[in-house]
Amino acid sequence: MFESLFRRNAGGRIACLLLVFAVLFCGCAEKEEQEDSPALLLGFSQLGTESAWRSGNTRDIEEKAAASGVSLMLENANRKQENQIAAIRRFIAYRVDVIAFSPIVEEGWDNVLVEAHEAGIPVILVDREVNTEKKGLISCHIGADFYKEGVMAAEYLIRKADSLGADELRIVEITGTEDSTPMRQRQAGFMDTIEKDGRMVVLESVNGDFLKSRGAECMRYLLEEYGEDIDVVFSHNDEMTLGALPEIENAGYEPGKDMIIISIDGGQEAIDVLRQGKINCVVECTPMLGRELMETAKKLKAGEKVDAKIHPKEGYFSDEMDLRQLAPRGY
Ligand code: GYE
């Protein structure tokens, strides 16, 4: 019946053919448009989920990718360097436009970075850095000035010593992941700054790996070893600080009063505890690096020049300030 209708109705036949052409043409036009401006494909290897900072960083990168039309291949390495190297190799095999990653430690990246370079894929370091002798493997580093964070922590302590009129302050340090950039540079910035002040004595530095559970373990050990000799706890991140505080209380001391507590990151939970008076100073380290990452990746894809280093602006929060009006931190 359709056939006879078709045969009899020539006008209808032409209309049908036009419709078919229109559909085909639109399909082609759409395809061409996609080929003209293909979405940027960004491979990002996140190192883990060890802290509120890290989760905030992942969330921000996902949100900013979605908002700026970047297709994100996100892989989480569960704190293992070999997982990050495998992820980067998958990004190369997939021929992403740009590779970004947050290296868990600084050493051991040369081979995979040479592979990315030979494949012609630009690499952005997010948050942490790598240590390499080879030139030209990294296009840009977007992350905090960790040395300056250590300096800010020490400068707070020096002001606190002044305000207390202290003759001597005995310090324990709980550091982040061994051989990671923030661990190395926060320690260096802090130590270089207190070195010039004769009142500061470092009792011991122990490694808490940026983890809350390890922060608690380290603090238990330090309390057993030094007890009331401890005047200051300098902890390289909020998670370890939040793990250490209950240990200090359980041992019968009041954090923030009997011991000066200095932390780094500035996540919401630590700021709330700072407001309660149990932490004295939190140096800010922002995880909101997504916008810079997307902008830089787009520039690299377009073959434009980018800054070799992009540091976000950061400050600190302390018991010297009125923090009642502080906006929610977002991580
Ligand atoms: O301070 C810590 C995290 O690399 C800046 O890693 C980051 C650090 C941050 O797990 O909380």
Side-chain angles (χ1 to χ4, degrees):
M1 179 194 152
F2 284 123
E3 209 182 315
S4 56
L5 249 183
F6 220 71
R7 244 187 254 137
R8 255 179 276 143
N9 184 351
R13 215 153 67 195
I14 290 167
C16 262
L17 280 174
L18 281 177
L19 191 70
V20 169
F21 277 128
V23 168
L24 281 177
F25 178 76
C26 282
C28 287
E30 202 175 289
K31 193 149 179 282
E32 240 167 53
E33 210 169 275
Q34 278 171 5
E35 275 166 10
D36 274 355
S37 56
L40 183 141
L41 182 56
L42 173 67
F44 175 55
S45 164
Q46 179 58 287
L47 69 87
T49 44
E50 73 283 4
S51 62
W53 191 100
R54 188 69 49 202
S55 310
N57 179 247
T58 305
R59 205 166 47 240
D60 186 57
I61 288 172
E62 283 175 322
E63 284 171 11
K64 298 301 180 334
S68 50
V70 170
S71 314
L72 184 67
M73 276 178 82
L74 174 74
E75 294 217 24
N76 193 312
N78 292 313
R79 294 167 39 81
K80 291 210 168 65
Q81 182 173 29
E82 65 260 33
N83 291 349
Q84 289 203 284
I85 292 174
I88 295 169
R89 292 211 163 107
R90 278 193 291 280
F91 297 151
I92 297 171
Y94 209 83
R95 303 219 45 84
V96 300
D97 296 305
V98 178
I99 292 172
F101 74 113
S102 296
I104 182 152
V105 290
E106 292 193 333
E107 270 74 27
W109 301 99
D110 278 13
N111 290 346
V112 76
L113 288 176
V114 167
E115 289 166 33
H117 189 69
E118 281 168 358
I121 304 176
V123 174
I124 302 173
L125 296 178
V126 177
D127 165 31
R128 302 184 183 178
E129 293 183 74
V130 301
N131 190 9
T132 176
E133 305 269 277
K134 298 193 194 300
K135 298 265 170 279
L137 299 181
I138 302 294
S139 298
C140 171
H141 168 232
I142 304 170
D145 183 341
F146 301 121
Y147 186 87
K148 195 167 147 213
E149 291 173 354
V151 171
M152 279 194 269
E155 286 174 348
Y156 166 81
L157 187 58
I158 292 169
R159 289 196 301 280
K160 187 76 176 174
D162 292 344
S163 73
L164 293 172
D167 297 332
E168 187 179 78
L169 287 178
R170 285 153 298 187
I171 304 163
V172 294
E173 181 187 36
I174 307 179
T175 70
T177 304
E178 193 89 61
D179 298 332
S180 70
T181 318
M183 180 267 164
R184 287 179 169 169
Q185 295 188 8
R186 285 171 181 168
Q187 182 172 62
F190 184 82
M191 296 301 171
D192 288 353
T193 310
I194 60 163
E195 205 182 57
K196 302 162 202 143
D197 190 315
R199 296 170 296 181
M200 306 296 168
V201 178
V202 178
L203 295 174
E204 193 170 339
S205 288
V206 287
N207 191 281
D209 210 7
F210 283 130
L211 298 170
K212 189 171 186 177
S213 57
R214 292 280 302 127
E217 272 173 44
C218 288
M219 198 65 231
R220 266 199 304 279
Y221 159 77
L222 291 166
L223 285 160
E224 272 166 29
E225 202 64 19
Y226 304 101
E228 63 174 15
D229 282 352
I230 302 172
D231 299 312
V232 181
V233 179
F234 170 45
S235 150
H236 283 200
N237 84 340
D238 288 348
E239 248 60 39
M240 297 188 296
T241 310
L242 294 166
L245 292 180
E247 300 297 329
I248 298 174
E249 288 174 320
N250 290 343
Y253 304 102
E254 256 192 276
K257 298 204 171 59
D258 300 330
M259 292 179 192
I260 300 164
I261 312 293
I262 304 176
S263 188
I264 303 186
D265 275 355
Q268 191 61 53
E269 202 179 341
I271 296 295
D272 292 342
V273 177
L274 168 62
R275 285 185 177 126
Q276 291 163 21
K278 295 184 186 183
I279 296 178
N280 302 83
C281 175
V282 183
V283 174
E284 180 185 27
C285 179
T286 180
M288 308 308 186
L289 307 173
R291 191 179 54 81
E292 294 287 5
L293 173 58
M294 301 312 144
E295 282 172 10
T296 309
K298 283 182 178 176
K299 282 187 194 159
L300 287 172
K301 183 168 187 204
E304 290 170 31
K305 267 207 160 330
V306 299
D307 293 336
K309 251 192 199 316
I310 300 175
H311 286 318
K313 261 188 97 157
E314 293 171 333
Y316 64 92
F317 311 100
S318 75
D319 55 7
E320 304 154 294
M321 302 168 178
D322 178 358
L323 297 171
R324 277 172 301 183
Q325 304 304 321
L326 190 67
R329 301 288 300 144
Y331 62 103

